[in-house]
Amino acid sequence: MLETGSMAEEVTFICCIESGGLEEMTVRMAASLRRFGGRFAHAPIIAVQPRRGVGVTPRTRQQLDEYDVALVRDVAANVYPWNQFFNKPAAMQVGNRLAKTPTVCWIDSDILVLAEPQLLSLDDEEDFVACPSDNCGSTTGPGDRNEAYWKLVIELAGLKLDDYPWLVNCQGNRVRTYFNSGLFVYRRDSAFMQHYPAACERLLMSGYKSPITGLFFTDQVMLGASAIAAGLRMRALPMEYNYPVGSQTEEPYSSARMARTVIMHYHAALFPEYWPTMLEQLRQDRPEVYEWLAPWGPISGQTHWPARIVRKVLKEYRRRKCERFAQRCEALEPSAAP
């Protein structure tokens, strides 16, 4: 499958997959790209399982084949399997080695493509595109509680604070360059992958954590920093290319914005408790998406009971190990800057 026979495709989509809800999300993401992706609809998709655990169900394998998704298991890829955020750089390393296209797009599994994502194409003067993140985990500069942590991020990326650029995020705030890591595109022949996984590892193992988000978002705060360190020419995507919906997003749901959305990052909004609300919003704001999505039903994550037991045991083991690790890390408050 990876040798597509036609190199007309410009981008390979890479994502992470694991047993349970994530496998349902991955199938749905791939199906949405095939249905609404326009000229991207036939792009290669690689789903990587980067740590040990239960494999996906036979039904999921059948669906992945149906949507022409290459399933790759490399259970040793994530050398910190207790940290879910390290799944991303680990899966990317695997997928990046297999990709044949000039550009690569990382795409989180809890994403739906709602229209042709034209702005994912890089022109000759660009190496990287992503959406600026919301305020969570960012810093507005001196005086911000998260500023000392970001000084560490920038240092670990091999950059100087005074040279680190700013951007205006999706909430209109001027912050140090910080992109959402749910969806981004980079040139495969650039130096990005020489920087990103190593920088994520340095931050995770630094002994420090954010006073705001703890060990969360290590993959996200290092995204823009790694692109800058690699010397990539960057372009910011509009919020409609990574529009967050769900009960825990910082911005309230906007019907006007949903009407323009190209890529929806739904988080938990397709789980049973939120499904009726999300479906009704789509019925009103994106009827063509509603008609396609409604027959799928909510994401349940239900598999056979032995798999559920193994997942539950693994999840608890990893949670405890991550908590013990986090307790040993120092929250990097401004007065504690190294």
Side-chain angles (χ1 to χ4, degrees):
M1 179 282 193
L2 297 180
E3 297 290 346
T4 60
S6 169
M7 298 315 294
E9 297 96 342
E10 60 183 277
V11 61
T12 296
F13 290 82
I14 300 175
C15 65
C16 179
I17 189 169
E18 290 187 314
S19 172
L22 196 61
E23 60 184 290
E24 290 186 54
M25 294 177 186
T26 301
V27 168
R28 209 165 297 198
M29 177 274 292
S32 73
L33 179 64
R34 301 300 187 219
R35 174 64 179 83
F36 297 109
R39 64 188 177 90
F40 294 87
H42 300 290
I45 306 174
I46 303 174
V48 181
Q49 182 177 345
R51 61 181 178 177
R52 196 171 305 280
V54 180
V56 302
T57 66
R59 170 61 176 158
T60 295
R61 286 180 177 272
Q62 178 184 352
Q63 290 175 311
L64 293 175
D65 288 342
E66 177 183 350
Y67 294 113
D68 200 16
V69 179
L71 174 62
V72 181
R73 293 192 71 190
D74 187 341
V75 297
N78 185 351
V79 294
Y80 306 107
W82 45 268
N83 184 270
Q84 63 180 0
F85 294 102
F86 209 78
N87 270 350
K88 183 170 297 180
M92 285 181 65
Q93 286 182 299
V94 175
N96 191 74
R97 291 195 297 267
L98 297 173
K100 305 297 183 183
T101 53
T103 63
V104 167
C105 177
W106 173 266
I107 184 167
D108 279 1
S109 293
D110 58 343
I111 275 178
L112 293 179
V113 177
L114 308 188
E116 181 178 316
Q118 300 177 11
L119 297 183
L120 297 187
S121 292
L122 302 179
D123 66 28
D124 291 341
E125 305 301 318
E126 298 169 341
D127 304 306
F128 176 91
V129 296
C131 288
S133 180
D134 58 22
N135 294 330
C136 185
S138 69
T139 176
T140 57
D144 192 297
R145 188 182 173 198
N146 220 25
E147 175 70 357
Y149 177 71
W150 268 90
K151 288 181 179 179
L152 175 68
V153 168
I154 293 167
E155 177 184 338
L156 291 177
L159 302 167
K160 294 182 179 179
L161 184 68
D162 291 343
D163 297 331
Y164 196 82
W166 301 78
L167 57 72
V168 176
N169 71 8
C170 61
Q171 292 167 300
N173 295 308
R174 181 177 181 266
V175 297
R176 298 196 186 277
T177 294
Y178 177 42
F179 292 106
N180 188 287
S181 66
L183 180 106
F184 55 91
V185 178
Y186 63 92
R187 289 197 185 278
R188 194 166 56 86
D189 64 357
S190 72
F192 176 70
M193 285 301 291
Q194 298 172 27
H195 287 264
Y196 183 56
C200 289
E201 183 172 18
R202 286 195 297 271
L203 179 58
L204 178 63
M205 303 306 292
S206 68
Y208 294 99
K209 59 187 176 184
S210 165
I212 308 297
T213 58
L215 294 180
F216 275 60
F217 303 146
T218 51
D219 64 305
Q220 186 156 289
V221 298
M222 270 303 180
L223 178 59
S226 297
I228 295 167
L232 273 55
R233 298 162 296 178
M234 302 184 295
R235 167 167 53 90
L237 292 168
M239 190 177 184
E240 288 80 7
Y241 270 69
N242 195 341
Y243 181 47
V245 297
S247 62
Q248 297 183 350
T249 56
E250 292 201 355
E251 290 293 296
Y253 179 86
S254 166
S255 291
R257 192 176 292 279
M258 177 55 77
R260 303 190 302 270
T261 290
V262 176
I263 295 173
M264 179 177 75
H265 202 156
Y266 60 83
H267 302 286
L270 299 191
F271 288 179
E273 58 267 39
Y274 305 116
W275 171 255
T277 299
M278 187 74 257
L279 206 60
E280 176 59 22
Q281 289 170 330
L282 289 173
R283 187 188 68 79
Q284 297 179 37
D285 304 328
R286 297 297 293 267
E288 79 285 6
V289 177
Y290 165 82
E291 293 293 337
W292 169 79
L293 184 62
W296 288 79
I299 291 172
S300 67
Q302 293 300 310
T303 55
H304 52 81
W305 66 265
R308 294 199 298 272
I309 292 173
V310 173
R311 285 205 312 271
K312 184 175 182 179
V313 171
L314 263 179
K315 182 178 181 180
E316 180 63 15
Y317 169 77
R318 289 167 175 165
R319 183 191 67 79
R320 291 184 180 185
K321 190 164 185 177
C322 190
E323 281 187 356
R324 289 195 296 268
F325 181 87
Q327 287 169 0
R328 297 196 299 268
C329 295
E330 180 181 351
L332 197 51
E333 300 281 357
S335 60

